[in-house]
Amino acid sequence: MSEEQEAEVAEDEATEEVEDGLQSGDFIRLDYTARTIEDGNVVDTTDPEVAEEEGLDEEEREFEPRTIVLGQGHIFQSVEDDITGKEVGDEGHVTIPAEEAFGEYNNEEVKTVSADKIPEDERYPGAHVNVDGEHGHVETIIGGRARVDFNHPLAGEDIEYDYEVVGEVEDDVEKAQGLISMFLDADLEMWIETDEVEEETVVEPDEDDEDAEPETETQTVEKETLYIESTPQLAMNQQWMFQKQQIAQQVIDQLGLDRVIVQETIDGGGMPGMGGMMGGGMGGGDVDLEEALEDADVDEDEIVEELEAEETEE
């Protein structure tokens, strides 16, 4: 074997060694608990036992392993680096310095503002407030002035992060559910279908025909589509209302889909007391017009006179 061939083999082996284990782009289920090093306060956890010990509100969310995508900034960079190359079932402990976690504490971010900028029911020490587009918490209020700390509540805190890689996600629907759960705490029904869709495409004219103009033709194309069954909770979720385009785009990019369709299903039944009128209007059932006019408190003679007047004008 020549020196050149030996170098190529060595390079291939090095590449294989680097790519062993979990890599950027892999979907994994991660169990973790993050605490402040100084006080040991829980910053976040997926462990229901830890949540119960700490008295965290279990009604607001489910404590279970989360689906994340390596290389997408879903977790602290130090933790991501530690996971890369490991296997399902591996555990780890990472210390995250304050500057990487929630930033160093900045005394200049503690500011005095007019109390008028704070709603009356939030003018007390400890209240979380938004002032001029910045989020902070009130330290003190004296007279018409308020002292507000705009640092992150965990600024200056080093964090310790214990984790276990409990699984790798292969199913595309489960991947989509995991991605969306990063933004929304909602249990949504979803599925993926390949749809045939008609699209108009532009056909360029023959280059030899200078007077020809581009034409369009209809083609049938296949689109890989994620369907999401909407719920009242989803429709009223503010984060979804303001960020649904970005959330859907991330799902499309990560899963290689063509589109996301959110659909709403409305069961029949109608509103109480409106069955007869709705049925008549939609082609089902008969309506007694005289009775309907009486119920609606409408004078039928007035309606006839108005119609006759309109015909005369015409």
Side-chain angles (χ1 to χ4, degrees):
M1 184 182 295
S2 67
E3 292 183 2
E4 184 177 346
Q5 290 174 322
E6 290 179 353
E8 289 179 358
V9 171
E11 184 178 348
D12 291 340
E13 290 177 350
T15 301
E16 290 177 2
E17 184 177 347
V18 170
E19 294 181 351
D20 281 346
L22 298 169
Q23 299 297 321
S24 179
D26 288 341
F27 283 71
I28 63 171
R29 285 191 298 274
L30 194 68
D31 218 352
Y32 64 84
T33 296
R35 299 177 183 270
T36 59
I37 290 179
E38 184 175 352
D39 301 321
N41 295 326
V42 173
V43 175
D44 194 13
T45 186
T46 60
D47 189 331
E49 293 183 2
V50 172
E52 185 176 359
E53 290 173 2
E54 298 293 328
L56 302 179
D57 189 352
E58 296 187 36
E59 293 183 2
E60 292 187 0
R61 53 166 283 199
E62 293 184 9
F63 294 94
E64 59 184 8
R66 290 186 185 172
T67 298
I68 64 117
V69 188
L70 292 176
Q72 295 300 313
H74 295 157
I75 51 178
F76 294 118
Q77 186 62 50
S78 296
V79 180
E80 195 167 90
D81 292 342
D82 198 68
I83 292 174
T84 301
K86 290 193 172 179
E87 305 285 349
V88 172
D90 286 347
E91 301 179 1
H93 176 88
V94 182
T95 299
I96 305 160
E99 58 267 24
E100 182 191 335
F102 301 99
E104 297 283 7
Y105 190 85
N106 185 355
N107 289 320
E108 294 183 0
E109 288 300 311
V110 182
K111 304 174 183 178
T112 300
V113 302
S114 171
D116 292 338
K117 293 187 175 184
I118 301 173
E120 288 188 16
D121 58 351
E122 295 177 355
R123 295 176 188 172
Y124 59 89
H128 288 269
V129 297
N130 287 300
V131 179
D132 297 333
E134 291 187 272
H135 183 77
H137 66 273
V138 178
E139 287 191 339
T140 58
I141 290 186
I142 301 176
R145 312 293 287 174
R147 188 82 167 160
V148 181
D149 187 348
F150 291 103
N151 284 287
H152 188 283
L154 293 169
E157 295 277 6
D158 296 330
I159 306 295
E160 58 181 2
Y161 199 105
D162 292 292
Y163 72 84
E164 178 183 0
V165 181
V166 297
E168 190 169 1
V169 182
E170 301 291 350
D171 180 72
D172 282 346
V173 173
E174 191 176 347
K175 289 179 180 180
Q177 290 171 329
L179 284 170
I180 292 175
S181 69
M182 294 180 191
F183 302 94
L184 309 170
D185 185 16
D187 185 16
L188 301 172
E189 182 182 352
M190 59 186 74
W191 62 96
I192 294 175
E193 292 183 5
T194 301
D195 300 332
E196 289 190 348
V197 180
E198 291 188 347
E199 285 188 347
E200 287 192 350
T201 58
V202 177
V203 179
E204 295 295 336
D206 191 335
E207 294 181 357
D208 297 331
D209 189 349
E210 296 180 356
D211 297 328
E213 296 182 357
E215 298 180 353
T216 61
E217 67 176 17
T218 301
Q219 293 183 339
T220 301
V221 297
E222 290 188 344
K223 286 188 177 290
E224 201 74 7
T225 305
L226 172 69
Y227 284 90
I228 300 176
E229 186 71 26
S230 182
T231 63
Q233 291 78 11
L234 179 64
M236 297 300 293
N237 185 289
Q238 289 191 354
Q239 188 167 9
W240 173 250
M241 286 190 286
F242 291 116
Q243 289 187 281
K244 58 185 175 183
Q245 180 63 46
Q246 295 93 318
I247 296 172
Q249 190 61 53
Q250 185 169 143
V251 173
I252 288 171
D253 293 342
Q254 292 295 325
L255 299 183
L257 300 173
D258 295 304
R259 59 183 185 169
V260 172
I261 293 179
V262 181
Q263 63 181 27
E264 182 179 19
T265 300
I266 300 176
D267 294 328
M271 295 176 62
M274 297 294 287
M277 293 185 68
M278 291 296 289
M282 299 303 291
D286 297 323
V287 176
D288 186 325
L289 179 59
E290 183 176 353
E291 183 179 340
L293 289 172
E294 288 177 359
D295 290 343
D297 194 22
V298 175
D299 190 329
E300 59 184 298
D301 293 330
E302 286 183 7
I303 294 177
V304 172
E305 289 175 2
E306 290 178 5
L307 292 172
E308 290 177 347
E310 289 178 4
E311 290 178 358
T312 303
E313 291 176 359
E314 292 175 356

